[in-house]
Amino acid sequence: MKMLRFRSPSISSLAQEVQCTVRLLDDSEISCSIQRDTKGQFLLDHVCNYYSLLEKDYFGIRYVDPEKQRHWLDPSKPVVKQMKCQQPYTMCFRVKFYPQEPIKIKEELTRYLLYLQLKRDVYHGRLLCPFADAAYLGACIVQAELGDYDPEEHPADYISDFKLFPKQSLKLERKIMEIHQTELRGQCPALAELNLLQRAHTLDTYGVDPHPCKDFTGSTAFLGFTARGFVVFQGNKRIHLLKWADVSKFKFEGKTFYVIGVQREKKLVLTFHTSTPAACKHLWKCAVENQAFYKCAKSSQIKTVSSSSIFFKGSRFRYSGRVAKEVIEASSKIQREPPVVHRSQFGQSRSFTSLSHKQLIMNMEPLLPALSSSREHRDSSADNGLSALKDSVHLSPLKPSVTPEEAEIEERENHSQERREDEAANRTRADEERREIHVDSEEDGCSTLTISDTAYSPCASMVPTPVEEGQGGLDLLFQSPARLLKELHADPEMQVELQAERERELAREAFRQSLCNPSNGRQQMQACLRSAARLVVMATGLLMILLPLLLVLLESDLDISFLHDIRQTPEFEQFHYEYYCPLRRWFLCKLELITEQLWGD
């Protein structure tokens, strides 16, 4: 584990350092100390310098916030302001943009790092492929890491030592061994890795980082971005492919993500719903970056994109890197000696099995919650119900004291209540007998007991709701409604509350009548006009303060750090080039016309 310390030009923050750990594609880690104002580009350059990597535009650094939401580290912003978790920071170095044609990658080192990423995609279920392609990819991995097959060194089940796929069957392992022993024999690691890249880039899920969401019907879908365009998967099937030339704009509002494009010369709007607003914003940023990287011919064509059509609403974002065509052109101009590729040998790197328990893995298949079976659920619910009955069977309703004149009424009510309880008891005993018969039949058939489902009815419950004596409401449960109403009206506190309610009702009626009076209407109109005048005065004063500051930002050349930071924001650049400059040109044109007319006169 290597340590490196970065020093930024800021003198005030030299003493404030932050520890960062970056996990690489082969599961090794490097650490470094950065300052609080160090930007993400420094950290990305540090990892690329560690590899001696020149074709670094395909890669990025990813991190996960405390809410388990993944993010790409923005190279143009300070690292500390992006990380919301506690120190030390832990991030991962990953492939961010998959090259459309891996054969155009100039250096073997870049192809090896892309190979490591694709090997991870295969294992974690992101790169879905048919059986024949899966066997070929697995054989390429074995050839690259193990070399040619040697019957004296390799046992009969040597493929079982490789954890290549999420579900690795014996049939697949036998096919991998067949291809490894015959078709790929004699290939060096670099050639085997290149063959894997060439086969993998033809698959539909190549380069897809799945974003789970719901479509307009409520069905689970996975969105992704490739070199060809925007794709939508349901399960393992691709249901949409919108090429970059047909994509007009991406938008999001809250948890709703919109894709606006053209298909068959008709406007197309696709709507999806994510689980959280943070996930929707991350999806929108990934869409903007991938569209700019694969669609634009030059980085100068990239514009600041807004998530809404209104300038002062929503988020604004701009991709700040080079585009795919520029990266390919820069790769063709590399003239240095190829760097040495240090490949991790089989058995030296951390196993994928231990890694899968530590990282958040998002497969293309919909994830099912870990719930118990229906039989286990019924058993547990029945056991809980029986235990609750046992705990509460000793409780019985307490008889309240009644007056002599109500004794006859209470006796008739008790008699009818006892008759209803007897009927409920008979029904309950019959249900228990049926359950016992069902349980006995289950014991004869299998060892697991199952209680049949019964609908819960509160009216059939023989055990009353327990009420403590100290609650003071026990007598009220068994009194007649007429007597209860008399006692409530005779209570002095209740009389006070009723009187207060009458007074409030009279006050509301008087207020409604005052609204109908013309003199009061004129007073209210004058009050509204005074409020509007105060609002206009406050807005004018605020405008008089902000307008000079805005002119200083737009027209002056003052090199102050505060003003410089504001000018570098994407929001200010969008306002300056899309709103202020056209307005200024229009104003100057009108001024010139007025001046010419005056001089002409």
Side-chain angles (χ1 to χ4, degrees), residues 5 85 134 172 175 245 333 403 406 573:
R5 180 172 298 174
C85 57
L172 180 60
K175 186 64 176 179
K333 298 177 182 179
T403 58
E406 295 179 349
E573 292 181 355

Side-chain angles (χ1 to χ4, degrees), residues 305-364:
V305 181
S306 176
S307 63
S308 177
S309 57
I310 304 175
F311 170 72
F312 293 102
K313 182 181 177 182
S315 301
R316 279 156 291 278
F317 180 69
R318 183 181 184 274
Y319 172 63
S320 57
R322 292 191 294 185
V323 300
K325 293 183 179 180
E326 293 177 339
V327 174
I328 295 175
E329 292 176 1
S331 299
S332 62
K333 298 177 182 179
I334 296 177
Q335 301 293 335
R336 69 168 181 176
E337 290 291 329
V340 179
V341 180
H342 300 281
R343 291 179 170 83
S344 58
Q345 299 297 324
F346 171 67
Q348 292 182 358
S349 62
R350 199 180 308 175
S351 65
F352 282 104
T353 305
S354 62
L355 180 65
S356 62
H357 295 285
K358 296 181 180 180
Q359 290 184 344
L360 179 65
I361 300 172
M362 182 61 66
N363 292 328
M364 291 298 298

Side-chain angles (χ1 to χ4, degrees), residues 307-441:
S307 63
S308 177
S309 57
I310 304 175
F311 170 72
F312 293 102
K313 182 181 177 182
S315 301
R316 279 156 291 278
F317 180 69
R318 183 181 184 274
Y319 172 63
S320 57
R322 292 191 294 185
V323 300
K325 293 183 179 180
E326 293 177 339
V327 174
I328 295 175
E329 292 176 1
S331 299
S332 62
K333 298 177 182 179
I334 296 177
Q335 301 293 335
R336 69 168 181 176
E337 290 291 329
V340 179
V341 180
H342 300 281
R343 291 179 170 83
S344 58
Q345 299 297 324
F346 171 67
Q348 292 182 358
S349 62
R350 199 180 308 175
S351 65
F352 282 104
T353 305
S354 62
L355 180 65
S356 62
H357 295 285
K358 296 181 180 180
Q359 290 184 344
L360 179 65
I361 300 172
M362 182 61 66
N363 292 328
M364 291 298 298
E365 299 180 357
L367 301 179
L368 298 178
L371 298 177
S372 58
S373 63
S374 59
R375 175 172 293 185
E376 294 174 352
H377 178 70
R378 289 196 298 267
D379 292 345
S380 61
S381 61
D383 292 340
N384 295 334
L386 292 175
S387 62
L389 286 174
K390 290 179 181 178
D391 294 338
S392 58
V393 73
H394 66 279
L395 295 173
S396 60
L398 301 177
K399 291 185 178 181
S401 59
V402 295
T403 58
E405 60 270 14
E406 295 179 349
E408 185 178 358
I409 298 175
E410 294 292 337
E411 185 178 356
R412 288 198 298 268
E413 291 180 355
N414 292 336
H415 182 70
S416 60
Q417 179 68 22
E418 289 177 358
R419 187 169 61 254
R420 288 193 298 270
E421 290 179 356
D422 292 339
E423 294 176 357
N426 293 332
R427 288 195 300 269
T428 306
R429 282 195 294 271
D431 292 340
E432 290 179 353
E433 290 176 359
R434 286 195 296 270
R435 288 180 191 153
E436 291 177 358
I437 294 173
H438 185 74
V439 169
D440 293 339
S441 62

Side-chain angles (χ1 to χ4, degrees), residues 54-58 97 99-100 104-106 289 291-303 318-334:
L54 292 183
E55 298 171 298
K56 55 187 178 182
D57 297 272
Y58 298 114
F97 303 109
Q100 185 174 7
K104 293 184 179 180
I105 297 177
K106 181 68 175 293
E289 289 183 325
Q291 184 183 24
F293 183 81
Y294 293 114
K295 184 178 181 179
C296 295
K298 296 180 180 180
S299 57
S300 58
Q301 299 176 354
I302 302 175
K303 298 181 180 180
R318 183 181 184 274
Y319 172 63
S320 57
R322 292 191 294 185
V323 300
K325 293 183 179 180
E326 293 177 339
V327 174
I328 295 175
E329 292 176 1
S331 299
S332 62
K333 298 177 182 179
I334 296 177

